[in-house]
Amino acid sequence: MEYNFVIFAANMDLYRYTYKEAEKFENVRFYSGTDGLLTKPEKALHSIHVSRRMNAKVQLPFKNIWYAAILRRISFPRVRPVCYIWSTYFMKDIESGIVEYIKIRQPDSKHIFFFTDEKFVRQDFTYLQDKMDSLAVFDPRVAEQYHIEFIPNVYPSDKEYMLSSSVKEEKYDICFIGNDRGREKKLREIAIYCKNANLKTAFYIKKAGAATYTDEATGIHYIQQNMPYEEVIDIIKESKCVLELMVETNCTCSLRVQEAVIFNKRILTDNPCVNKMPCCEDGANVYYFEKAEEINTNFLRENKKVSYDYNEEYSLGSWLKKIEQLAKR
């Protein structure tokens, strides 16, 4: 590769896991939030300094002190141009001038913004067009709509970087883990259908304002907070099939689809675009439905070994090659 890469991701255990392969690349530096870039006291002061509420009242000066400190703490063994990959977590810094600061000190640097949610594309697309060298998103439909690059999310497949490489007994016929986002009604219909068919389910939905409880009528577990990602992986590995439900009209190459491919699980989905996703094109392990009563329960019960023709399509190396192609434009 011709670039060194700096990945600025959100401060979440999910991203610390999915980008863990960065450890094996001498030309990649991954940061989860400002961990490793700012000390704890510095984080507190920085948060106040770039606060939108504070800066709406008065534009606080000298924000560049943070950006100078951040750049001093990023180093590589070989001198190359640096490609910075930004996420929504760093929008306050982008609004405060960090990209311009870096461009002055590193004129050959490139800046790519990677959207991980359609709502942020709608919200920030116009603003970021003028700030970044390129924009990319993990939803092919949104990429086409906004004329930006489609790049699937990163997902590790090297056992060395997996949370657990152990084989789990498949206890469930099907699982669902996700936020509500308008999907609760359909999930309840599917849950009742599965329950009547005596299927074993592991359905977890995060719903704002809901108590943590299990609904006896459907078997759905309602949760208040995101499940630790290691627990998510355990449930995926203990299931024969992963249920992927669309959010609005998103045709994303979602995390659940990637997990199904990596861990060789069938996919049950109402998203007609899943069959176009990397490794899912032949449709052998994907069942599409519109209504719950259309679901073939034999597809869920089947014990036949599942295998995808996976060739590192979701790996960090493949992702960086696509990012580098954007940087070279």
PDB file of all heavy atoms in Angstrom, residues 55-87:
ATOM      1  N   ASN A  55     -19.836  26.530  21.855  1.00  0.00           N
ATOM      2  CA  ASN A  55     -19.394  27.291  20.692  1.00  0.00           C
ATOM      3  C   ASN A  55     -20.532  28.004  19.984  1.00  0.00           C
ATOM      4  O   ASN A  55     -20.291  28.919  19.187  1.00  0.00           O
ATOM      5  CB  ASN A  55     -18.643  26.376  19.725  1.00  0.00           C
ATOM      6  CG  ASN A  55     -17.230  26.072  20.196  1.00  0.00           C
ATOM      7  OD1 ASN A  55     -16.328  26.876  20.011  1.00  0.00           O
ATOM      8  ND2 ASN A  55     -17.040  24.924  20.835  1.00  0.00           N
ATOM      9  N   ALA A  56     -21.773  27.616  20.272  1.00  0.00           N
ATOM     10  CA  ALA A  56     -22.923  28.350  19.732  1.00  0.00           C
ATOM     11  C   ALA A  56     -23.041  29.712  20.402  1.00  0.00           C
ATOM     12  O   ALA A  56     -23.526  30.677  19.801  1.00  0.00           O
ATOM     13  CB  ALA A  56     -24.200  27.546  19.934  1.00  0.00           C
ATOM     14  N   LYS A  57     -22.585  29.796  21.655  1.00  0.00           N
ATOM     15  CA  LYS A  57     -22.639  31.060  22.404  1.00  0.00           C
ATOM     16  C   LYS A  57     -21.450  31.941  22.063  1.00  0.00           C
ATOM     17  O   LYS A  57     -21.571  33.134  21.844  1.00  0.00           O
ATOM     18  CB  LYS A  57     -22.671  30.762  23.904  1.00  0.00           C
ATOM     19  CG  LYS A  57     -23.921  30.006  24.355  1.00  0.00           C
ATOM     20  CD  LYS A  57     -23.833  29.639  25.832  1.00  0.00           C
ATOM     21  CE  LYS A  57     -25.060  28.838  26.262  1.00  0.00           C
ATOM     22  NZ  LYS A  57     -24.964  28.393  27.679  1.00  0.00           N
ATOM     23  N   VAL A  58     -20.265  31.321  22.040  1.00  0.00           N
ATOM     24  CA  VAL A  58     -19.049  32.056  21.714  1.00  0.00           C
ATOM     25  C   VAL A  58     -18.033  31.075  21.130  1.00  0.00           C
ATOM     26  O   VAL A  58     -17.858  29.977  21.641  1.00  0.00           O
ATOM     27  CB  VAL A  58     -18.465  32.763  22.962  1.00  0.00           C
ATOM     28  CG1 VAL A  58     -18.186  31.784  24.093  1.00  0.00           C
ATOM     29  CG2 VAL A  58     -17.204  33.543  22.597  1.00  0.00           C
ATOM     30  N   GLN A  59     -17.413  31.454  20.030  1.00  0.00           N
ATOM     31  CA  GLN A  59     -16.431  30.583  19.392  1.00  0.00           C
ATOM     32  C   GLN A  59     -15.155  30.539  20.239  1.00  0.00           C
ATOM     33  O   GLN A  59     -14.405  31.516  20.317  1.00  0.00           O
ATOM     34  CB  GLN A  59     -16.109  31.087  17.983  1.00  0.00           C
ATOM     35  CG  GLN A  59     -17.134  30.687  16.936  1.00  0.00           C
ATOM     36  CD  GLN A  59     -17.171  29.186  16.708  1.00  0.00           C
ATOM     37  OE1 GLN A  59     -16.129  28.529  16.639  1.00  0.00           O
ATOM     38  NE2 GLN A  59     -18.361  28.630  16.588  1.00  0.00           N
ATOM     39  N   LEU A  60     -14.949  29.402  20.899  1.00  0.00           N
ATOM     40  CA  LEU A  60     -13.779  29.263  21.757  1.00  0.00           C
ATOM     41  C   LEU A  60     -12.515  29.151  20.900  1.00  0.00           C
ATOM     42  O   LEU A  60     -12.482  28.361  19.953  1.00  0.00           O
ATOM     43  CB  LEU A  60     -13.926  28.025  22.648  1.00  0.00           C
ATOM     44  CG  LEU A  60     -15.139  28.023  23.585  1.00  0.00           C
ATOM     45  CD1 LEU A  60     -15.219  26.700  24.341  1.00  0.00           C
ATOM     46  CD2 LEU A  60     -15.061  29.178  24.572  1.00  0.00           C
ATOM     47  N   PRO A  61     -11.464  29.915  21.212  1.00  0.00           N
ATOM     48  CA  PRO A  61     -10.239  29.893  20.396  1.00  0.00           C
ATOM     49  C   PRO A  61      -9.290  28.768  20.800  1.00  0.00           C
ATOM     50  O   PRO A  61      -9.540  28.033  21.754  1.00  0.00           O
ATOM     51  CB  PRO A  61      -9.614  31.264  20.705  1.00  0.00           C
ATOM     52  CG  PRO A  61     -10.037  31.540  22.126  1.00  0.00           C
ATOM     53  CD  PRO A  61     -11.419  30.924  22.284  1.00  0.00           C
ATOM     54  N   PHE A  62      -8.217  28.641  20.052  1.00  0.00           N
ATOM     55  CA  PHE A  62      -7.087  27.761  20.370  1.00  0.00           C
ATOM     56  C   PHE A  62      -7.440  26.265  20.372  1.00  0.00           C
ATOM     57  O   PHE A  62      -6.827  25.486  21.088  1.00  0.00           O
ATOM     58  CB  PHE A  62      -6.465  28.134  21.725  1.00  0.00           C
ATOM     59  CG  PHE A  62      -6.124  29.592  21.856  1.00  0.00           C
ATOM     60  CD1 PHE A  62      -6.704  30.359  22.848  1.00  0.00           C
ATOM     61  CD2 PHE A  62      -5.241  30.187  20.956  1.00  0.00           C
ATOM     62  CE1 PHE A  62      -6.398  31.710  22.965  1.00  0.00           C
ATOM     63  CE2 PHE A  62      -4.937  31.548  21.065  1.00  0.00           C
ATOM     64  CZ  PHE A  62      -5.513  32.309  22.077  1.00  0.00           C
ATOM     65  N   LYS A  63      -8.393  25.843  19.549  1.00  0.00           N
ATOM     66  CA  LYS A  63      -8.708  24.407  19.462  1.00  0.00           C
ATOM     67  C   LYS A  63      -7.545  23.622  18.850  1.00  0.00           C
ATOM     68  O   LYS A  63      -7.442  22.412  19.038  1.00  0.00           O
ATOM     69  CB  LYS A  63      -9.987  24.189  18.647  1.00  0.00           C
ATOM     70  CG  LYS A  63     -11.240  24.793  19.274  1.00  0.00           C
ATOM     71  CD  LYS A  63     -12.473  24.423  18.471  1.00  0.00           C
ATOM     72  CE  LYS A  63     -13.724  25.048  19.070  1.00  0.00           C
ATOM     73  NZ  LYS A  63     -13.794  26.504  18.803  1.00  0.00           N
ATOM     74  N   ASN A  64      -6.681  24.334  18.129  1.00  0.00           N
ATOM     75  CA  ASN A  64      -5.562  23.657  17.474  1.00  0.00           C
ATOM     76  C   ASN A  64      -4.602  23.001  18.455  1.00  0.00           C
ATOM     77  O   ASN A  64      -3.818  22.130  18.064  1.00  0.00           O
ATOM     78  CB  ASN A  64      -4.788  24.644  16.591  1.00  0.00           C
ATOM     79  CG  ASN A  64      -5.553  24.991  15.320  1.00  0.00           C
ATOM     80  OD1 ASN A  64      -6.584  24.403  15.037  1.00  0.00           O
ATOM     81  ND2 ASN A  64      -5.050  25.956  14.571  1.00  0.00           N
ATOM     82  N   ILE A  65      -4.651  23.408  19.726  1.00  0.00           N
ATOM     83  CA  ILE A  65      -3.767  22.760  20.699  1.00  0.00           C
ATOM     84  C   ILE A  65      -4.076  21.272  20.793  1.00  0.00           C
ATOM     85  O   ILE A  65      -3.180  20.449  21.006  1.00  0.00           O
ATOM     86  CB  ILE A  65      -3.847  23.420  22.098  1.00  0.00           C
ATOM     87  CG1 ILE A  65      -5.265  23.306  22.679  1.00  0.00           C
ATOM     88  CG2 ILE A  65      -3.383  24.861  22.052  1.00  0.00           C
ATOM     89  CD1 ILE A  65      -5.368  23.767  24.128  1.00  0.00           C
ATOM     90  N   TRP A  66      -5.340  20.896  20.630  1.00  0.00           N
ATOM     91  CA  TRP A  66      -5.722  19.476  20.690  1.00  0.00           C
ATOM     92  C   TRP A  66      -5.230  18.744  19.450  1.00  0.00           C
ATOM     93  O   TRP A  66      -4.784  17.603  19.520  1.00  0.00           O
ATOM     94  CB  TRP A  66      -7.238  19.326  20.826  1.00  0.00           C
ATOM     95  CG  TRP A  66      -7.784  20.069  21.998  1.00  0.00           C
ATOM     96  CD1 TRP A  66      -8.654  21.121  21.988  1.00  0.00           C
ATOM     97  CD2 TRP A  66      -7.465  19.836  23.380  1.00  0.00           C
ATOM     98  NE1 TRP A  66      -8.897  21.561  23.265  1.00  0.00           N
ATOM     99  CE2 TRP A  66      -8.185  20.780  24.141  1.00  0.00           C
ATOM    100  CE3 TRP A  66      -6.641  18.921  24.039  1.00  0.00           C
ATOM    101  CZ2 TRP A  66      -8.114  20.838  25.526  1.00  0.00           C
ATOM    102  CZ3 TRP A  66      -6.568  18.975  25.420  1.00  0.00           C
ATOM    103  CH2 TRP A  66      -7.286  19.917  26.151  1.00  0.00           C
ATOM    104  N   TYR A  67      -5.330  19.424  18.312  1.00  0.00           N
ATOM    105  CA  TYR A  67      -4.975  18.765  17.059  1.00  0.00           C
ATOM    106  C   TYR A  67      -3.460  18.601  16.941  1.00  0.00           C
ATOM    107  O   TYR A  67      -2.979  17.604  16.388  1.00  0.00           O
ATOM    108  CB  TYR A  67      -5.572  19.541  15.885  1.00  0.00           C
ATOM    109  CG  TYR A  67      -7.054  19.768  16.101  1.00  0.00           C
ATOM    110  CD1 TYR A  67      -7.684  20.942  15.724  1.00  0.00           C
ATOM    111  CD2 TYR A  67      -7.825  18.786  16.751  1.00  0.00           C
ATOM    112  CE1 TYR A  67      -9.042  21.133  15.960  1.00  0.00           C
ATOM    113  CE2 TYR A  67      -9.175  18.984  16.999  1.00  0.00           C
ATOM    114  CZ  TYR A  67      -9.774  20.151  16.605  1.00  0.00           C
ATOM    115  OH  TYR A  67     -11.103  20.350  16.855  1.00  0.00           O
ATOM    116  N   ALA A  68      -2.715  19.559  17.507  1.00  0.00           N
ATOM    117  CA  ALA A  68      -1.257  19.415  17.560  1.00  0.00           C
ATOM    118  C   ALA A  68      -0.877  18.238  18.448  1.00  0.00           C
ATOM    119  O   ALA A  68       0.002  17.433  18.103  1.00  0.00           O
ATOM    120  CB  ALA A  68      -0.627  20.706  18.090  1.00  0.00           C
ATOM    121  N   ALA A  69      -1.571  18.111  19.594  1.00  0.00           N
ATOM    122  CA  ALA A  69      -1.288  16.999  20.518  1.00  0.00           C
ATOM    123  C   ALA A  69      -1.621  15.662  19.875  1.00  0.00           C
ATOM    124  O   ALA A  69      -0.864  14.687  19.994  1.00  0.00           O
ATOM    125  CB  ALA A  69      -2.093  17.183  21.806  1.00  0.00           C
ATOM    126  N   ILE A  70      -2.743  15.595  19.172  1.00  0.00           N
ATOM    127  CA  ILE A  70      -3.150  14.352  18.517  1.00  0.00           C
ATOM    128  C   ILE A  70      -2.136  13.936  17.453  1.00  0.00           C
ATOM    129  O   ILE A  70      -1.704  12.778  17.394  1.00  0.00           O
ATOM    130  CB  ILE A  70      -4.566  14.509  17.913  1.00  0.00           C
ATOM    131  CG1 ILE A  70      -5.618  14.489  19.034  1.00  0.00           C
ATOM    132  CG2 ILE A  70      -4.858  13.413  16.885  1.00  0.00           C
ATOM    133  CD1 ILE A  70      -7.018  14.864  18.582  1.00  0.00           C
ATOM    134  N   LEU A  71      -1.717  14.864  16.603  1.00  0.00           N
ATOM    135  CA  LEU A  71      -0.765  14.533  15.546  1.00  0.00           C
ATOM    136  C   LEU A  71       0.581  14.086  16.113  1.00  0.00           C
ATOM    137  O   LEU A  71       1.229  13.205  15.552  1.00  0.00           O
ATOM    138  CB  LEU A  71      -0.569  15.726  14.608  1.00  0.00           C
ATOM    139  CG  LEU A  71      -1.695  16.007  13.610  1.00  0.00           C
ATOM    140  CD1 LEU A  71      -1.274  17.099  12.627  1.00  0.00           C
ATOM    141  CD2 LEU A  71      -2.115  14.759  12.849  1.00  0.00           C
ATOM    142  N   ARG A  72       1.002  14.695  17.222  1.00  0.00           N
ATOM    143  CA  ARG A  72       2.276  14.294  17.836  1.00  0.00           C
ATOM    144  C   ARG A  72       2.241  12.844  18.302  1.00  0.00           C
ATOM    145  O   ARG A  72       3.280  12.176  18.358  1.00  0.00           O
ATOM    146  CB  ARG A  72       2.592  15.193  19.041  1.00  0.00           C
ATOM    147  CG  ARG A  72       3.161  16.550  18.685  1.00  0.00           C
ATOM    148  CD  ARG A  72       3.834  17.203  19.882  1.00  0.00           C
ATOM    149  NE  ARG A  72       2.961  17.306  21.044  1.00  0.00           N
ATOM    150  CZ  ARG A  72       2.156  18.345  21.282  1.00  0.00           C
ATOM    151  NH1 ARG A  72       2.098  19.355  20.426  1.00  0.00           N
ATOM    152  NH2 ARG A  72       1.415  18.370  22.377  1.00  0.00           N
ATOM    153  N   ARG A  73       1.062  12.344  18.620  1.00  0.00           N
ATOM    154  CA  ARG A  73       0.947  11.003  19.195  1.00  0.00           C
ATOM    155  C   ARG A  73       0.668   9.927  18.143  1.00  0.00           C
ATOM    156  O   ARG A  73       0.480   8.755  18.472  1.00  0.00           O
ATOM    157  CB  ARG A  73      -0.146  11.011  20.279  1.00  0.00           C
ATOM    158  CG  ARG A  73       0.310  11.798  21.493  1.00  0.00           C
ATOM    159  CD  ARG A  73      -0.814  12.218  22.399  1.00  0.00           C
ATOM    160  NE  ARG A  73      -0.292  13.119  23.438  1.00  0.00           N
ATOM    161  CZ  ARG A  73      -1.051  13.793  24.289  1.00  0.00           C
ATOM    162  NH1 ARG A  73      -2.366  13.672  24.243  1.00  0.00           N
ATOM    163  NH2 ARG A  73      -0.501  14.591  25.183  1.00  0.00           N
ATOM    164  N   ILE A  74       0.614  10.311  16.897  1.00  0.00           N
ATOM    165  CA  ILE A  74       0.425   9.348  15.807  1.00  0.00           C
ATOM    166  C   ILE A  74       1.740   9.235  15.035  1.00  0.00           C
ATOM    167  O   ILE A  74       2.233  10.227  14.495  1.00  0.00           O
ATOM    168  CB  ILE A  74      -0.703   9.794  14.849  1.00  0.00           C
ATOM    169  CG1 ILE A  74      -2.034   9.908  15.595  1.00  0.00           C
ATOM    170  CG2 ILE A  74      -0.838   8.809  13.687  1.00  0.00           C
ATOM    171  CD1 ILE A  74      -3.158  10.526  14.770  1.00  0.00           C
ATOM    172  N   SER A  75       2.288   8.041  14.981  1.00  0.00           N
ATOM    173  CA  SER A  75       3.551   7.859  14.255  1.00  0.00           C
ATOM    174  C   SER A  75       3.555   6.524  13.519  1.00  0.00           C
ATOM    175  O   SER A  75       2.820   5.600  13.877  1.00  0.00           O
ATOM    176  CB  SER A  75       4.738   7.924  15.226  1.00  0.00           C
ATOM    177  OG  SER A  75       4.661   6.873  16.173  1.00  0.00           O
ATOM    178  N   PHE A  76       4.413   6.453  12.500  1.00  0.00           N
ATOM    179  CA  PHE A  76       4.547   5.252  11.680  1.00  0.00           C
ATOM    180  C   PHE A  76       6.024   4.950  11.469  1.00  0.00           C
ATOM    181  O   PHE A  76       6.859   5.869  11.445  1.00  0.00           O
ATOM    182  CB  PHE A  76       3.870   5.448  10.318  1.00  0.00           C
ATOM    183  CG  PHE A  76       2.383   5.630  10.388  1.00  0.00           C
ATOM    184  CD1 PHE A  76       1.833   6.909  10.464  1.00  0.00           C
ATOM    185  CD2 PHE A  76       1.534   4.538  10.390  1.00  0.00           C
ATOM    186  CE1 PHE A  76       0.461   7.091  10.521  1.00  0.00           C
ATOM    187  CE2 PHE A  76       0.161   4.706  10.455  1.00  0.00           C
ATOM    188  CZ  PHE A  76      -0.377   5.992  10.522  1.00  0.00           C
ATOM    189  N   PRO A  77       6.381   3.675  11.265  1.00  0.00           N
ATOM    190  CA  PRO A  77       7.794   3.335  11.037  1.00  0.00           C
ATOM    191  C   PRO A  77       8.323   3.809   9.692  1.00  0.00           C
ATOM    192  O   PRO A  77       9.518   4.032   9.532  1.00  0.00           O
ATOM    193  CB  PRO A  77       7.815   1.806  11.139  1.00  0.00           C
ATOM    194  CG  PRO A  77       6.415   1.374  10.862  1.00  0.00           C
ATOM    195  CD  PRO A  77       5.535   2.478  11.376  1.00  0.00           C
ATOM    196  N   ARG A  78       7.422   3.959   8.706  1.00  0.00           N
ATOM    197  CA  ARG A  78       7.853   4.401   7.369  1.00  0.00           C
ATOM    198  C   ARG A  78       7.121   5.674   6.988  1.00  0.00           C
ATOM    199  O   ARG A  78       5.929   5.837   7.272  1.00  0.00           O
ATOM    200  CB  ARG A  78       7.570   3.326   6.322  1.00  0.00           C
ATOM    201  CG  ARG A  78       8.506   2.124   6.394  1.00  0.00           C
ATOM    202  CD  ARG A  78       8.182   1.147   5.271  1.00  0.00           C
ATOM    203  NE  ARG A  78       8.292   1.755   3.953  1.00  0.00           N
ATOM    204  CZ  ARG A  78       7.894   1.191   2.834  1.00  0.00           C
ATOM    205  NH1 ARG A  78       7.353  -0.029   2.867  1.00  0.00           N
ATOM    206  NH2 ARG A  78       8.026   1.800   1.670  1.00  0.00           N
ATOM    207  N   VAL A  79       7.829   6.573   6.346  1.00  0.00           N
ATOM    208  CA  VAL A  79       7.229   7.827   5.912  1.00  0.00           C
ATOM    209  C   VAL A  79       6.461   7.589   4.611  1.00  0.00           C
ATOM    210  O   VAL A  79       7.030   7.167   3.605  1.00  0.00           O
ATOM    211  CB  VAL A  79       8.306   8.916   5.703  1.00  0.00           C
ATOM    212  CG1 VAL A  79       7.669  10.202   5.161  1.00  0.00           C
ATOM    213  CG2 VAL A  79       9.042   9.188   7.007  1.00  0.00           C
ATOM    214  N   ARG A  80       5.173   7.828   4.655  1.00  0.00           N
ATOM    215  CA  ARG A  80       4.291   7.758   3.483  1.00  0.00           C
ATOM    216  C   ARG A  80       3.250   8.862   3.638  1.00  0.00           C
ATOM    217  O   ARG A  80       3.023   9.346   4.755  1.00  0.00           O
ATOM    218  CB  ARG A  80       3.556   6.417   3.412  1.00  0.00           C
ATOM    219  CG  ARG A  80       4.378   5.158   3.301  1.00  0.00           C
ATOM    220  CD  ARG A  80       3.403   3.991   3.119  1.00  0.00           C
ATOM    221  NE  ARG A  80       4.042   2.693   3.055  1.00  0.00           N
ATOM    222  CZ  ARG A  80       4.134   1.832   4.077  1.00  0.00           C
ATOM    223  NH1 ARG A  80       3.651   2.165   5.264  1.00  0.00           N
ATOM    224  NH2 ARG A  80       4.704   0.659   3.927  1.00  0.00           N
ATOM    225  N   PRO A  81       2.534   9.213   2.575  1.00  0.00           N
ATOM    226  CA  PRO A  81       1.366  10.086   2.755  1.00  0.00           C
ATOM    227  C   PRO A  81       0.367   9.383   3.682  1.00  0.00           C
ATOM    228  O   PRO A  81       0.271   8.157   3.686  1.00  0.00           O
ATOM    229  CB  PRO A  81       0.808  10.229   1.339  1.00  0.00           C
ATOM    230  CG  PRO A  81       1.915   9.847   0.431  1.00  0.00           C
ATOM    231  CD  PRO A  81       2.746   8.843   1.160  1.00  0.00           C
ATOM    232  N   VAL A  82      -0.375  10.164   4.448  1.00  0.00           N
ATOM    233  CA  VAL A  82      -1.320   9.594   5.408  1.00  0.00           C
ATOM    234  C   VAL A  82      -2.744   9.794   4.907  1.00  0.00           C
ATOM    235  O   VAL A  82      -3.129  10.894   4.486  1.00  0.00           O
ATOM    236  CB  VAL A  82      -1.166  10.232   6.802  1.00  0.00           C
ATOM    237  CG1 VAL A  82      -2.140   9.587   7.793  1.00  0.00           C
ATOM    238  CG2 VAL A  82       0.267  10.083   7.300  1.00  0.00           C
ATOM    239  N   CYS A  83      -3.511   8.719   4.958  1.00  0.00           N
ATOM    240  CA  CYS A  83      -4.943   8.769   4.650  1.00  0.00           C
ATOM    241  C   CYS A  83      -5.709   8.671   5.967  1.00  0.00           C
ATOM    242  O   CYS A  83      -5.600   7.671   6.679  1.00  0.00           O
ATOM    243  CB  CYS A  83      -5.328   7.632   3.712  1.00  0.00           C
ATOM    244  SG  CYS A  83      -7.101   7.599   3.321  1.00  0.00           S
ATOM    245  N   TYR A  84      -6.465   9.710   6.290  1.00  0.00           N
ATOM    246  CA  TYR A  84      -7.266   9.754   7.518  1.00  0.00           C
ATOM    247  C   TYR A  84      -8.696   9.336   7.193  1.00  0.00           C
ATOM    248  O   TYR A  84      -9.318   9.871   6.263  1.00  0.00           O
ATOM    249  CB  TYR A  84      -7.250  11.158   8.118  1.00  0.00           C
ATOM    250  CG  TYR A  84      -5.894  11.577   8.633  1.00  0.00           C
ATOM    251  CD1 TYR A  84      -4.967  12.198   7.788  1.00  0.00           C
ATOM    252  CD2 TYR A  84      -5.532  11.348   9.951  1.00  0.00           C
ATOM    253  CE1 TYR A  84      -3.706  12.574   8.250  1.00  0.00           C
ATOM    254  CE2 TYR A  84      -4.273  11.724  10.419  1.00  0.00           C
ATOM    255  CZ  TYR A  84      -3.373  12.336   9.564  1.00  0.00           C
ATOM    256  OH  TYR A  84      -2.133  12.697  10.035  1.00  0.00           O
ATOM    257  N   ILE A  85      -9.204   8.382   7.960  1.00  0.00           N
ATOM    258  CA  ILE A  85     -10.553   7.850   7.741  1.00  0.00           C
ATOM    259  C   ILE A  85     -11.398   8.269   8.939  1.00  0.00           C
ATOM    260  O   ILE A  85     -11.143   7.864  10.075  1.00  0.00           O
ATOM    261  CB  ILE A  85     -10.523   6.330   7.577  1.00  0.00           C
ATOM    262  CG1 ILE A  85      -9.566   5.938   6.443  1.00  0.00           C
ATOM    263  CG2 ILE A  85     -11.930   5.796   7.299  1.00  0.00           C
ATOM    264  CD1 ILE A  85      -9.091   4.508   6.486  1.00  0.00           C
ATOM    265  N   TRP A  86     -12.410   9.082   8.674  1.00  0.00           N
ATOM    266  CA  TRP A  86     -13.192   9.727   9.725  1.00  0.00           C
ATOM    267  C   TRP A  86     -14.557   9.064   9.909  1.00  0.00           C
ATOM    268  O   TRP A  86     -15.098   8.482   8.966  1.00  0.00           O
ATOM    269  CB  TRP A  86     -13.398  11.200   9.398  1.00  0.00           C
ATOM    270  CG  TRP A  86     -12.119  11.959   9.270  1.00  0.00           C
ATOM    271  CD1 TRP A  86     -11.400  12.171   8.114  1.00  0.00           C
ATOM    272  CD2 TRP A  86     -11.378  12.592  10.318  1.00  0.00           C
ATOM    273  NE1 TRP A  86     -10.263  12.900   8.383  1.00  0.00           N
ATOM    274  CE2 TRP A  86     -10.224  13.180   9.725  1.00  0.00           C
ATOM    275  CE3 TRP A  86     -11.584  12.735  11.692  1.00  0.00           C
ATOM    276  CZ2 TRP A  86      -9.287  13.890  10.472  1.00  0.00           C
ATOM    277  CZ3 TRP A  86     -10.653  13.450  12.424  1.00  0.00           C
ATOM    278  CH2 TRP A  86      -9.524  14.012  11.818  1.00  0.00           C
ATOM    279  N   SER A  87     -15.102   9.208  11.113  1.00  0.00           N
ATOM    280  CA  SER A  87     -16.453   8.713  11.407  1.00  0.00           C
ATOM    281  C   SER A  87     -17.242   9.817  12.104  1.00  0.00           C
ATOM    282  O   SER A  87     -16.692  10.848  12.509  1.00  0.00           O
ATOM    283  CB  SER A  87     -16.385   7.482  12.315  1.00  0.00           C
ATOM    284  OG  SER A  87     -15.914   7.850  13.610  1.00  0.00           O
TER     285      SER A  87
END
